[in-house]
Amino acid sequence: MVLLSEGLPFLVVTIGFEKPIILTKAVLSASLNSRRQQSQPLTGNPRDNSPMTIQKAVQVAVKEKGFEIVKDYCIEIAILTAGAASGVQGGLRQFCFLAAWILVFDCLILFTFYTAILSIKLEINRIKRHVTLRKALEEDGVSRRVAENVASSDEWPKFDMDGGTTGTGSLSTETALFGKKVGDSSVPKFKVLMVSGFIIINVLNLCTLPFRTGDRNTALSKVSGLSNVMTPLPMDPFKVADNGLEIILASAKDRRTTTIVTVLPPIKYELGYPSAHSAAPEDAASSIFDVEYTDQLLDAVGGKVIEGVLKSLEDPVLSKWIIVALSMSLVLNGYLFNAARWTIKEPHVPEQSDVDSTAQRQSANQTTPDALNANINPHNDSHANGVLQEPRLVTDTDATEDKAVRTQAEREQMLRDKKAPQLKDHELVELSLRGKIPGYALEKTLEDQTIMSRLASLTRAVKIRRSVLSRTVATSNTASLLENSKLPYEDYNYENVHGACCENVIGYMPLPLGVAGPLVIDGRNYFLPMATTEGVLVASTSRGCKAINAGGGAITVLTGDGMTRGPCVGFETLARAGAAKIWLDSEEGQKDMKRAFNSTSRFARLQSMKTALAGTYLYIRFKTTTGDAMGMNMISKGVENALNVMMTESGFEDMSIISVSGNFCTDKKPAAINWIDGRGKSVVAEAIIPGDVVRNVLKSDVNALVELNTSKNLIGSAMAGSIGGFNAHAANIVSAMFLATGQDPAQVVESANCITIMKNYNGNLQISVSMPSIEVGTIGGGTVLEPQMAMLDLLGVKGPHSNSPGANARQLARIIAAAVLAGEL
């Protein structure tokens, strides 16, 4: 034991953790590579573009690294086995034997239990990301269904509920595992088989205990021949006593005395069970398969360790506890997996993948090619796009219904019976024109996931609304061409639009999207996405990026982070209004209002309140953090709760809330308070452009640019009485990036507040932009739309930050400020 304990450090190094690390890296790399491949153009093989699930990622990793890992295990085990068979005394043999067995079990555990634990860990992380994003979107005012859709679309790697692929189409769920085809469920079945076999063996062992009365000595004689062959060579007494002799010799030298040592051959004692005299006779045939094989045989393969384990498992009490523990483990793991899935399922809503597959099967069985190309008006051609996607299932009902013409009464009765999705398109148009189906309620009326997917029903609602508008008599002179206009409506995910971004949808508006740059911002390179219809805007911004990069890039500083909401409250007398202002400015008032406000959100935190009195009206400007959301809806909830607490608990029952937003914010309007106190993110960006770059790239001179900026951006704007408009065209860049990244376009009004300053710095051009009110977010609003999410992903700021709430939104503000800097050049 002493020798083994001294070898523990070497044992740890021998076993190591490099193989689990290699396998884990391979799993994560497989998921990352799959995510990158999905962004590439579609290939001919549908498997290449199917979403990567956690199970598939583990299987791909095992397929790629499994042989290499097992080969390393085999080499190490072979070397240690040779060391164990060397016969060298002093602990080397025992150590090598122990290390070899540990490696064997480590290999088995790595490809069974470790992969299971890794899958569970990845699933827990996925659920945490999913729930965090969904709750953040809900706090920002997004409906639960849309928040769930956005969170599901953002999951990576995907989790396969059914053990198969989450992609569309009938892909095989088999994969190669060490050269053999196995299904996705093979590993769980193998684990269940192992545990079941272990339990059955122990049950049989317990049942046969009363019948074990045979003669053990017979069994010993039957295996004696084999034990004689396998018996190890006689031990060398000098090797055994080597360490002791050296100690005695050293002691004799120190004392300078003559010492005589007699070395005798070692005597080996073995203890029978429970003793040689009291052992009960046992059946010879059964004893061969019992655990008492003889120490000689077990010693030959280092069997004392195995013998001890088997003896402990034979114990009836211990084996029962093992069975109970395994059963509890199976039940608990099954419950945890189900609980993990329940936390992210929408109640009473079928899984989208199941609905989609059902709709596809119904479409394949029931829909004819003519019906797929049918339009509401049989005399019109199909839409100009002509791309057949899942939303084209909207005309399935026209093909599946019988050809008999329904009466008006039958149609209205089906509408009352909530069977409107079964009606034909032209019947729905007629009902809507007669006022039976409100135009805003088409999506809700047509939703029936037993007939078609939600996306297909939403697309059908858009198509019918276009027809209704085209046939409306009051606007026939102007809107009659809408139905077959070039405004696209197909091949778009309306699930993230409905209930979140827009109502009465008739299509979507494509905008040209370009990229400027790359631009070095705080040491990192970024391409700048810009959605614009203004020619040369992207080109001029790219030229500014080139000049800034030549000087080492842009440097940004965040000076403030706080969104504002300014409600208006009223009192009957000025005295009461003044008392409320004094209380709000006091320490007690700040403390009470902060506690009430912060209780409404996990992210919104009240920073300060600024009050202003106008007669009997009191204006309160709340300034708060909002995480990664722009945060207006989040703040409004907190403001309402804080004002209610002020009325009911702080002695201001006579206060009336005039408006949650009293224009003291100020939102979507030019205002000096935003320019002075800031709103949203306050950022300053700077760059130093070498003089030769100014001449060669910008085709100008440093002094000329400084004079131009002073006379135009500073003096000219002052002459015009501008507020926050001391710049050349900051709004151009801000609006283009707002449209590209899903921000609120109306907030360009205050977000484009900017002052541009240029100086001659030792013959170089020093330029800076100060923008005190950039109002951006990376969750909520237009950021839930897939194209806008892709542009946020291009900038590395999609969704909420995993560790620091608000970090992604702040980084987006820095990027926009640096882009404005490039545009000003």
Side-chain angles (χ1 to χ4, degrees):
M1 290 301 295
V2 174
L3 296 177
L4 288 178
S5 63
E6 292 176 352
L8 282 179
F10 180 69
L11 181 64
V12 172
V13 173
T14 303
I15 306 303
F17 302 99
E18 70 277 2
K19 296 177 184 66
I21 292 175
I22 291 173
L23 184 61
T24 303
K25 287 183 177 180
V27 172
L28 299 179
S29 298
S31 299
L32 182 60
N33 293 336
S34 173
R35 190 184 189 191
R36 289 171 175 169
Q37 290 173 3
Q38 292 176 28
S39 64
Q40 301 295 328
L42 296 178
T43 62
N45 185 4
R47 178 185 292 272
D48 296 337
N49 301 287
S50 60
M52 176 65 71
T53 64
I54 295 175
Q55 297 95 323
K56 287 177 63 177
V58 173
Q59 291 169 356
V60 170
V62 172
K63 178 181 178 181
E64 293 179 352
K65 298 293 183 180
F67 178 77
E68 178 184 342
I69 293 175
V70 172
K71 180 183 70 174
D72 292 342
Y73 270 121
C74 292
I75 294 174
E76 294 174 2
I77 292 173
I79 295 174
L80 291 172
T81 303
S86 64
V88 178
Q89 301 299 322
L92 177 63
R93 176 173 172 269
Q94 291 82 355
F95 173 81
C96 292
F97 172 77
L98 178 62
W101 270 111
I102 291 178
L103 282 177
V104 171
F105 286 105
D106 189 57
C107 181
L108 295 176
I109 291 173
L110 178 65
F111 292 105
T112 54
F113 295 103
Y114 179 80
T115 54
I117 294 172
L118 180 61
S119 299
I120 293 173
K121 178 61 177 175
L122 291 174
E123 170 64 2
I124 292 174
N125 291 339
R126 185 194 65 81
I127 293 175
K128 288 173 64 177
R129 291 196 305 269
H130 181 106
V131 174
T132 300
L133 179 56
R134 188 192 68 197
K135 289 184 177 180
L137 290 170
E138 290 176 354
E139 289 186 8
D140 196 47
V142 179
S143 65
R144 180 179 179 83
R145 171 172 277 177
V146 175
E148 183 70 24
N149 289 337
V150 174
S152 299
S153 65
D154 190 53
E155 288 177 4
W156 176 80
K158 302 288 183 182
F159 178 72
D160 189 358
M161 293 290 187
D162 301 324
T165 179
T166 58
T168 58
S170 58
L171 300 179
S172 174
T173 58
E174 293 186 347
T175 185
L177 185 64
F178 293 119
K180 182 180 179 181
K181 294 287 184 179
V182 297
D184 285 341
S185 59
S186 296
V187 174
K189 289 180 180 178
F190 176 70
K191 296 175 184 176
V192 172
L193 184 62
M194 287 179 58
V195 175
S196 301
F198 181 77
I199 294 174
I200 292 173
I201 291 175
N202 279 275
V203 171
L204 293 176
N205 191 18
L206 291 174
C207 295
T208 57
L209 282 177
F211 305 99
R212 297 180 185 177
T213 57
D215 186 6
R216 294 178 181 270
N217 295 328
T218 306
L220 297 179
S221 62
K222 287 190 176 186
V223 298
S224 59
L226 179 62
S227 64
N228 291 332
V229 176
M230 299 294 294
T231 301
L233 298 174
M235 290 180 292
D236 188 350
F238 292 99
K239 290 184 178 180
V240 175
D242 184 57
N243 292 335
L245 292 174
E246 290 182 355
I247 296 174
I248 296 174
L249 178 60
S251 176
K253 288 181 178 180
D254 292 339
R255 299 179 181 179
R256 296 183 179 180
T257 57
T258 302
T259 304
I260 299 175
V261 178
T262 303
V263 178
L264 301 176
I267 300 175
K268 183 177 180 182
Y269 295 92
E270 296 179 357
L271 180 62
Y273 176 82
S275 67
H277 303 285
S278 60
E282 187 174 336
D283 182 57
S286 64
S287 63
I288 297 178
F289 302 97
D290 200 37
V291 294
E292 302 291 338
Y293 289 110
T294 72
D295 284 334
Q296 289 86 355
L297 176 61
L298 293 175
D299 280 345
V301 292
K304 288 188 176 180
V305 177
I306 302 177
E307 182 183 9
V309 174
L310 295 177
K311 284 182 178 179
S312 63
L313 292 179
E314 187 184 38
D315 184 87
V317 178
L318 181 60
S319 60
K320 289 180 181 179
W321 279 109
I322 292 176
I323 294 173
V324 172
L326 289 173
S327 303
M328 292 180 61
S329 176
L330 288 174
V331 174
L332 182 60
N333 277 279
Y335 174 78
L336 289 176
F337 271 114
N338 290 330
R341 297 176 186 179
W342 296 336
T343 57
I344 62 171
K345 281 186 179 180
E346 188 73 21
H348 309 296
V349 177
E351 288 295 318
Q352 186 66 32
S353 58
D354 298 338
V355 177
D356 291 345
S357 60
T358 302
Q360 291 172 0
R361 289 194 298 270
Q362 292 177 351
S363 172
N365 296 331
Q366 302 175 3
T367 306
T368 63
D370 295 336
L372 286 175
N373 293 322
N375 206 302
I376 295 173
N377 188 347
H379 302 291
N380 294 332
D381 295 329
S382 59
H383 191 267
N385 277 353
V387 180
L388 185 61
Q389 297 289 345
E390 183 192 29
R392 296 304 296 267
L393 296 173
V394 296
T395 54
D396 286 355
T397 54
D398 289 351
T400 56
E401 290 292 331
D402 55 19
K403 295 184 178 181
V405 179
R406 298 187 183 92
T407 64
Q408 190 63 39
E410 290 175 338
R411 299 171 186 174
E412 294 180 3
Q413 184 60 41
M414 291 183 67
L415 180 62
R416 287 191 292 270
D417 294 341
K418 301 186 183 301
K419 296 181 179 180
Q422 300 178 12
L423 292 170
K424 299 178 182 179
D425 290 345
H426 68 85
E427 293 174 328
L428 292 167
V429 172
E430 185 179 349
L431 287 173
S432 183
L433 288 172
R434 295 179 64 249
K436 299 300 182 180
I437 304 178
Y440 63 84
L442 282 170
E443 285 82 1
K444 183 178 180 181
T445 304
L446 296 179
E447 185 172 353
D448 187 352
Q449 295 191 5
T450 61
I451 297 178
M452 65 184 68
S453 67
R454 185 167 184 261
L455 176 58
S457 65
L458 292 175
T459 306
R460 187 184 184 196
V462 173
K463 182 180 181 182
I464 292 173
R465 183 177 290 112
R466 291 162 65 105
S467 298
V468 172
L469 294 179
S470 297
R471 290 164 172 74
T472 301
V473 177
T475 58
S476 59
N477 292 333
T478 57
S480 60
L481 300 178
L482 174 64
E483 181 177 0
N484 294 307
S485 67
K486 292 191 178 296
L487 176 69
Y489 74 92
E490 296 174 306
D491 309 327
Y492 194 78
N493 187 0
Y494 293 103
E495 291 185 273
N496 294 343
V497 176
H498 182 61
C501 296
C502 188
E503 300 78 33
N504 293 333
V505 180
I506 60 172
Y508 56 92
M509 184 64 67
L511 279 176
L513 178 68
V515 290
L519 175 62
V520 178
I521 306 172
D522 298 322
R524 293 182 60 186
N525 282 280
Y526 294 91
F527 278 107
L528 308 175
M530 302 174 68
T532 180
T533 57
E534 181 177 345
V536 308
L537 177 62
V538 175
S540 63
T541 305
S542 292
R543 190 169 63 164
C545 293
K546 181 179 180 181
I548 292 175
N549 291 342
I555 302 298
T556 63
V557 175
L558 187 80
T559 61
D561 181 9
M563 183 53 66
T564 63
R565 177 62 90 192
C568 174
V569 298
F571 294 87
E572 294 182 355
T573 64
L574 177 60
R576 290 294 295 162
K581 174 177 170 55
I582 294 173
W583 181 80
L584 286 170
D585 293 338
S586 67
E587 184 178 349
E588 178 187 359
Q590 296 273 340
K591 181 179 179 181
D592 291 348
M593 295 293 279
K594 182 175 293 187
R595 181 175 62 252
F597 184 95
N598 293 347
S599 65
T600 61
S601 172
R602 296 181 302 155
F603 303 103
R605 292 294 178 264
L606 181 60
Q607 294 175 331
S608 63
M609 292 186 298
K610 184 175 183 178
T611 59
L613 196 61
T616 58
Y617 295 115
L618 178 63
Y619 297 86
I620 313 167
R621 192 172 193 255
F622 290 76
K623 189 171 186 179
T624 76
T625 60
T626 56
D628 284 302
M630 188 273 291
M632 292 308 304
N633 295 325
M634 190 185 302
I635 296 179
S636 297
K637 295 177 184 178
V639 167
E640 282 190 271
N641 187 66
L643 294 179
N644 289 330
V645 170
M646 180 179 175
M647 291 174 58
T648 58
E649 300 179 9
S650 303
F652 296 99
E653 294 83 1
D654 56 336
M655 181 182 77
S656 60
I657 302 175
I658 307 300
S659 175
V660 174
S661 178
N663 279 0
F664 194 52
C665 313
T666 297
D667 187 36
K668 301 179 177 71
K669 290 167 283 292
I673 194 169
N674 291 339
W675 177 246
I676 297 171
D677 288 345
R679 189 170 193 258
K681 276 66 176 174
S682 301
V683 183
V684 180
E686 180 201 55
I688 298 178
I689 317 299
D692 58 337
V693 174
V694 174
R695 291 186 294 271
N696 298 329
V697 177
L698 303 180
K699 309 301 181 183
S700 183
D701 180 73
V702 173
N703 292 326
L705 286 179
V706 172
E707 182 180 3
L708 173 63
N709 181 74
T710 302
S711 60
K712 174 184 176 178
N713 293 341
L714 303 183
I715 300 176
S717 298
M719 293 291 292
S722 177
I723 298 176
F726 301 94
N727 56 80
H729 67 148
N732 257 337
I733 288 83
V734 172
S735 60
M737 294 199 67
F738 267 37
L739 291 173
T741 58
Q743 309 305 312
D744 190 344
Q747 291 184 324
V748 174
V749 175
E750 59 266 40
S751 295
N753 283 342
C754 173
I755 181 171
T756 302
I757 298 176
M758 295 185 184
K759 295 180 181 179
N760 188 326
Y761 182 75
N762 297 329
N764 302 320
L765 177 65
Q766 183 183 43
I767 179 173
S768 65
V769 292
S770 300
M771 306 181 69
S773 52
I774 302 178
E775 300 168 0
V776 293
T778 57
I779 59 174
T783 65
V784 302
L785 303 177
E786 292 173 348
Q788 285 77 358
M789 289 175 62
M791 293 303 97
L792 290 173
D793 203 14
L794 174 69
L795 298 173
V797 294
K798 184 181 74 170
H801 195 276
S802 57
N803 300 322
S804 177
N808 280 350
R810 290 190 290 268
Q811 183 61 27
L812 178 59
R814 291 174 182 266
I815 294 172
I816 292 176
V820 170
L821 184 70
E824 288 292 277
L825 280 176

